Amino acid sequence: MANSIDYKRLLNPAQLEAVMTVEGPVLVIAGAGSGKTRTLIYRVARLVETGVEPESILLLTFTRKAAQEMLERASSLADPRCRFVSGGTFHSLANRVLRIHAGHLGFDNTFTILDRSDMEEVIRSLVPQLGILKGALRFPRTSTLANILSKAANLGRRVDDLVSGEYTQFIHCVSELSRLGELYRDYKKTHQMMDYDDLILNFRRLLAENNEVRQALSLQYRYVMVDEYQDTNGIQADIVKWLAHEHRNIMVVGDDSQSIYSFRGANYRNMFDFTATFPEARIIKLEENYRSTQPILTMTNALMEQASEKHTKCLFTKRKDGERPRVVDTRTEPEQAMFVCRYIQEALGRGRSLREFAVLFRAGYHSFELEAELTRQGIRYVKYGGFRFLESAHIKDFLAHLRVAANPDDTLSWIRILRLVRQVGQGRSQAIVKWMKEEGVGPEGVGRWPGMAGKEGGLGKLSGLFRSISSIKGPPRKAVERVMEYYLPILKEKFDDYPRRQKELDQLLPMASRYRSLRSFLDDLIIEPPTSPADMDREQRSEVLTLSTVHSAKGLEWPVVIIIWVAEGRFPIPSSYGNPSDLEEERRLMYVAATRARDQLILCYPGQETAPPWHDQTVARGRGNGLSSFIRDLPSEVVSFESAGWVDISSGRKRPQVRRIPHEIKIQSDGIALSQGDRVTHPAFGPGVISKFVGDDKVEVLFMKAGRKLLHLHYTSLQKT
């Protein structure tokens, strides 16, 4: 040993217990920010330090990079031999084992592994065997077929069962999909092939059925550790069980409160079932947090206290100072975007950097309005998860129709929308555009192109759309609705995941309602960011705001985190209301989002917004459209409730003004009770909002037209509105 590690000095008591417990099964429940990775690294070092051969230690992670980084850090602590620890993913281990023992399952050791593109190619070659008549029914695209077969395999479900529950748009062809699954399975066996899912499925089968192989692996790997155990699926949990079946030296590390990947097949119940499989397991809880302030942890502890099933833990930290998480009602979605932008701008003025902020959201399309506002204000950002608003094909398709309606000379948009018409490809679309320019034909006349029948065909329908739009006067919402009617059949034909994309298109309707003209709507919407993040150098890239879905933010942290759309029907999403386990996962997502914050946490919701167009009122009846029940049900003392009003300023733009709740009550001389944040009217200055009270007899009011005024309560007349 080059060095001896002072574990007691470097680790807290719970971490030390986990590191020093080297024999028998151990379940480590590692709260957010509690040093989970550090614990695994020091345990590897401890095992090697006590004389365990590195090759007999197995560290399973979800990425090869994670395993390599842990082992490199363990090596740098004391003993370079830690690099020889067997580290990797479930799939890489399965491949190594199956290459040796595939014969027990009827495969040659030379079997071929199908990657995703190979898998899709095989599936494409099998579809003709289903005998589906062309045009007889809508059949999924190859990529969707691969998704269905893969997910059914990972969840251990029948194809028909999966389709009935999660792919209802293809319920009409469920028998064909089931048959395809059988054909695909037989094809792989005949041609000595395994896809990624088969690797772990066959590995589990080998361990369960072959005692000789199981014992050999137990001799080879005497100590097994598994990271992120809450993200394992049922197949992987079985593999863990069989790997440790002989020696029982198994440590799994995870946090049931951060299990958020059920859509990939992850089963959070694995954290609870571990002690049923290993009744003698020692349970160690890592509860000291090294990331967040105590007020943030107090809120997240209270959030998970509401969970129906959990490993009880109470996160604490030595960082006792800090403000309570703020819950801000911004009234409307545009005001939510403006509140976020103004908050960030003011913080930048106080010396903070853009890289210190992250705005998180449940779904990618929740940030559309914010993205538009950030672009208008020149705030650079990079988005993770979902997609940037203008970079998705269906958004580009949809807006191209509106752009042509606003500017018939927009050739690029013409080419895009013409290629959506049946029997119109690149060549014909260019010919049509050329003909329209030469003949002076407007958009409503495109159906007269002599190269196609026109009136009854796709070009005829396109002509009808533009005739309809040209008759619309005033706000652009009607034009958006007409394009929606025209484009939805195209969307359903073009994309297998059209239900999700349709929800995203629905966001354009309320946005269009806030504009007076189509041109102004498009001008605000169709603005490219000043610089693409991909084009920035490393220094520039660090000076951008992070926008991210919660799923993409897991494992990361920022000094300031703002969570938007913390509202019923958005977070949690409507589809979770009918299934208690789905609703609990939504709660865990909120926990993951909140625990990304180090210093400040702000949760925003537009309290006056109506339910989204797809909101299932029969499922969510009685839940309201306001603040998310996850936050509404918290003890009042763990968060600070606020609301944001607005006043008109010289630019004519809306600008949020924040008021804290509970409000300080003041009594006017005529007996009317006034509160901070009340909307009032003055005989001379008109309507305004009370911003604060000064002393016992003065009030500051922000008037829409007159601006900020300090008024004496005994000599003024204010009426509440």
Side-chain angles (χ1 to χ4, degrees):
M1 297 291 295
N3 299 296
S4 180
I5 301 172
D6 187 351
Y7 295 99
K8 288 184 178 181
R9 181 178 64 84
L10 296 170
L11 303 171
N12 68 39
Q15 292 172 336
L16 183 64
E17 181 183 2
V19 168
M20 294 299 180
T21 305
V22 296
E23 299 291 332
V26 182
L27 170 63
V28 177
I29 302 168
S34 63
K36 164 183 70 69
T37 301
R38 181 182 183 86
T39 302
L40 283 169
I41 291 169
Y42 276 89
R43 190 169 192 265
V44 168
R46 174 62 179 171
L47 285 168
V48 175
E49 184 184 57
T50 57
V52 175
E53 292 295 325
E55 294 83 0
S56 66
I57 303 170
L58 175 64
L59 174 62
L60 290 173
T61 61
F62 273 81
T63 66
R64 181 181 301 176
K65 181 181 178 182
Q68 290 174 339
E69 289 178 351
M70 286 188 202
L71 298 180
E72 285 295 327
R73 287 176 60 184
S75 299
S76 67
L77 288 175
D79 194 328
R81 292 183 302 148
C82 290
R83 291 189 180 90
F84 300 116
V85 167
S86 298
T89 65
F90 281 90
H91 289 84
S92 63
L93 174 64
N95 181 48
R96 292 200 301 267
V97 174
L98 290 172
R99 287 297 177 192
I100 300 171
H101 302 290
H104 293 293
L105 301 176
F107 282 86
D108 295 333
N109 294 345
T110 57
F111 65 85
T112 299
I113 298 177
L114 301 175
D115 62 17
R116 182 56 183 243
S117 61
D118 295 330
M119 178 185 184
E120 292 186 8
E121 189 61 37
V122 171
I123 291 173
R124 186 181 294 110
S125 71
L126 296 174
V127 169
Q129 296 184 38
L130 300 177
I132 300 173
L133 297 177
K134 189 174 182 180
L137 52 81
R138 167 68 184 276
F139 201 66
R141 297 175 183 272
T142 305
S143 60
T144 305
L145 293 171
N147 288 339
I148 292 172
L149 297 184
S150 178
K151 189 164 188 178
N154 271 293
L155 292 176
R157 294 170 64 181
R158 298 199 319 267
V159 171
D160 57 349
D161 180 49
L162 181 70
V163 171
S164 299
E166 299 187 28
Y167 292 86
T168 54
Q169 65 267 40
F170 298 116
I171 195 68
H172 58 276
C173 53
V174 66
S175 60
E176 288 84 359
L177 294 173
S178 296
R179 174 62 179 151
L180 179 63
E182 296 170 358
L183 290 172
Y184 179 57
R185 183 173 60 250
D186 293 344
Y187 182 95
K188 289 183 293 183
K189 189 63 181 291
T190 300
H191 294 85
Q192 293 291 303
M193 295 175 172
M194 295 187 199
D195 59 27
Y196 287 145
D197 303 316
D198 294 324
L199 288 176
I200 60 170
L201 281 166
N202 287 330
F203 185 29
R204 177 180 66 174
R205 180 184 160 200
L206 181 67
L207 290 171
E209 296 179 357
N210 195 292
N211 186 58
E212 180 183 342
V213 172
R214 190 167 63 242
Q215 289 182 345
L217 286 175
S218 288
L219 288 173
Q220 182 176 355
Y221 302 120
R222 290 173 45 219
Y223 296 89
V224 180
M225 288 180 283
V226 184
D227 189 20
E228 303 285 10
Y229 192 64
Q230 78 280 350
D231 293 333
T232 54
N233 60 26
I235 303 166
Q236 292 161 329
D238 283 347
I239 289 172
V240 169
K241 175 185 70 175
W242 291 117
L243 284 174
H245 186 266
E246 306 299 323
H247 53 65
R248 318 288 280 185
N249 295 326
I250 172 71
M251 172 184 279
V252 299
V253 182
D255 183 4
D256 53 291
S257 297
Q258 296 188 71
S259 180
I260 59 173
Y261 295 111
S262 65
F263 65 92
R264 296 180 186 168
N267 185 357
Y268 82 102
R269 284 218 50 86
N270 289 346
M271 289 291 292
F272 300 97
D273 294 341
F274 183 82
T275 51
T277 305
F278 300 97
E280 74 276 28
R282 177 181 294 193
I283 300 177
I284 301 172
K285 297 180 181 180
L286 305 185
E287 298 175 296
E288 183 172 357
N289 179 281
Y290 295 91
R291 176 186 300 155
S292 307
T293 63
Q294 190 59 53
I296 292 173
L297 298 181
T298 300
M299 177 262 189
T300 56
N301 286 337
L303 176 66
M304 291 313 298
E305 185 60 32
Q306 304 170 16
S308 60
E309 187 175 25
K310 58 189 176 293
H311 278 296
T312 302
K313 56 185 176 295
C314 186
L315 297 182
F316 66 92
T317 180
K318 294 176 182 176
R319 300 184 63 200
K320 302 300 181 184
D321 297 330
E323 65 180 35
R324 287 181 296 170
R326 299 166 58 186
V327 180
V328 182
D329 180 358
T330 63
R331 300 194 327 130
T332 66
E333 185 177 13
E335 289 171 280
Q336 177 177 250
M338 286 183 280
F339 170 81
V340 171
C341 291
R342 184 178 181 222
Y343 181 86
I344 292 173
Q345 293 278 32
E346 291 180 350
L348 294 178
R350 295 192 298 269
R352 279 205 180 270
S353 168
L354 269 180
R355 65 176 177 269
E356 297 180 66
F357 293 85
V359 181
L360 307 183
F361 31 84
R362 172 62 180 87
Y365 60 87
H366 289 172
S367 67
F368 288 172
E369 183 83 36
L370 175 60
E371 291 178 58
E373 186 64 26
L374 289 168
T375 300
R376 283 192 288 264
Q377 296 199 23
I379 300 175
R380 294 191 299 175
Y381 67 92
V382 60
K383 182 175 179 180
Y384 300 97
F387 52 86
R388 290 183 66 117
F389 187 39
L390 295 180
E391 292 178 358
S392 183
H394 60 294
I395 299 293
K396 285 179 174 289
D397 289 347
F398 192 96
L399 293 180
H401 294 83
L402 295 172
R403 293 176 69 169
V404 165
N407 176 17
D409 293 325
D410 186 338
T411 301
L412 288 177
S413 293
W414 264 117
I415 296 295
R416 188 173 192 97
I417 64 177
L418 286 169
R419 292 186 66 180
L420 298 173
V421 178
R422 287 183 181 275
Q423 299 180 338
V424 176
Q426 183 70 24
R428 281 186 170 180
S429 62
Q430 292 176 342
I432 293 170
V433 171
K434 180 180 179 182
W435 168 77
M436 293 178 70
K437 287 185 176 180
E438 291 175 348
E439 300 296 325
V441 177
E444 62 275 7
V446 66
R448 300 198 303 271
W449 184 58
M452 293 181 70
K455 291 184 179 180
E456 299 302 322
L459 290 180
K461 292 179 180 178
L462 188 58
S463 289
L465 169 67
F466 287 122
R467 281 195 299 272
S468 174
I469 293 177
S470 66
S471 65
I472 296 173
K473 308 299 180 184
R477 182 184 173 102
K478 285 289 184 185
V480 174
E481 290 175 347
R482 300 287 171 81
V483 175
M484 192 79 74
E485 293 172 4
Y486 170 84
Y487 182 67
L488 282 184
I490 299 173
L491 179 81
K492 293 179 179 180
E493 181 178 348
K494 187 176 180 182
F495 302 103
D496 283 342
D497 60 345
Y498 64 84
R500 175 184 66 82
R501 294 177 187 260
Q502 183 174 342
K503 291 179 183 179
E504 290 154 0
L505 287 174
D506 284 337
Q507 297 300 301
L508 293 171
L509 290 166
M511 294 174 74
S513 300
R514 295 189 283 268
Y515 289 83
R516 294 183 178 180
S517 70
L518 179 60
R519 183 72 271 164
S520 62
F521 172 58
L522 292 173
D523 283 347
D524 263 8
L525 202 59
I526 309 171
I527 301 174
E528 295 291 348
T531 311
S532 169
D535 297 331
M536 301 178 189
D537 60 32
R538 182 173 300 178
E539 182 176 347
Q540 289 177 311
R541 198 157 47 236
S542 68
E543 287 301 320
V544 294
L545 171 68
T546 296
L547 306 185
S548 179
T549 61
V550 182
H551 283 101
S552 295
K554 187 172 181 290
L556 303 175
E557 60 183 68
W558 294 267
V560 183
V561 169
I562 303 171
I563 310 174
I564 60 173
W565 272 115
V566 184
E568 288 296 294
R570 300 286 186 140
F571 204 160
I573 56 176
S575 61
S576 66
Y577 293 138
N579 187 323
S581 63
D582 289 347
L583 195 60
E584 285 302 297
E585 180 154 330
E586 293 292 302
R587 184 190 310 282
R588 296 193 294 271
L589 270 168
M590 184 72 76
Y591 173 84
V592 168
T595 53
R596 301 309 94 197
R598 293 207 298 262
D599 305 325
Q600 291 175 285
L601 174 63
I602 301 171
L603 304 99
C604 299
Y605 71 105
Q608 294 184 14
E609 293 285 359
T610 58
W614 61 89
H615 195 267
D616 188 342
Q617 298 293 350
T618 61
V619 173
R621 184 175 292 125
R623 296 179 182 272
N625 303 320
L627 179 61
S628 168
S629 57
F630 297 149
I631 307 303
R632 191 173 65 240
D633 295 342
L634 291 174
S636 59
E637 66 271 14
V638 304
V639 293
S640 172
F641 289 99
E642 307 172 9
S643 68
W646 59 270
V647 294
D648 285 346
I649 56 179
S650 58
S651 66
R653 300 294 306 283
K654 292 181 178 180
R655 180 179 179 183
Q657 294 294 134
V658 174
R659 56 186 171 93
R660 293 187 178 273
I661 302 174
H663 313 302
E664 181 181 5
I665 302 298
K666 294 290 180 178
I667 305 298
Q668 207 173 326
S669 58
D670 59 5
I672 299 176
L674 297 176
S675 305
Q676 187 181 4
D678 278 349
R679 285 174 171 75
V680 295
T681 185
H682 185 273
F685 303 132
V689 178
I690 293 177
S691 60
K692 66 180 179 180
F693 293 95
V694 180
D696 294 327
D697 55 1
K698 297 181 182 66
V699 61
E700 183 183 84
V701 182
L702 294 168
F703 291 103
M704 289 184 179
K705 296 181 179 178
R708 191 184 306 270
K709 299 291 182 181
L710 183 64
L711 305 174
H712 199 294
L713 285 169
H714 295 300
Y715 304 103
T716 191
S717 178
L718 292 175
Q719 295 294 322
K720 292 174 68 173
T721 58

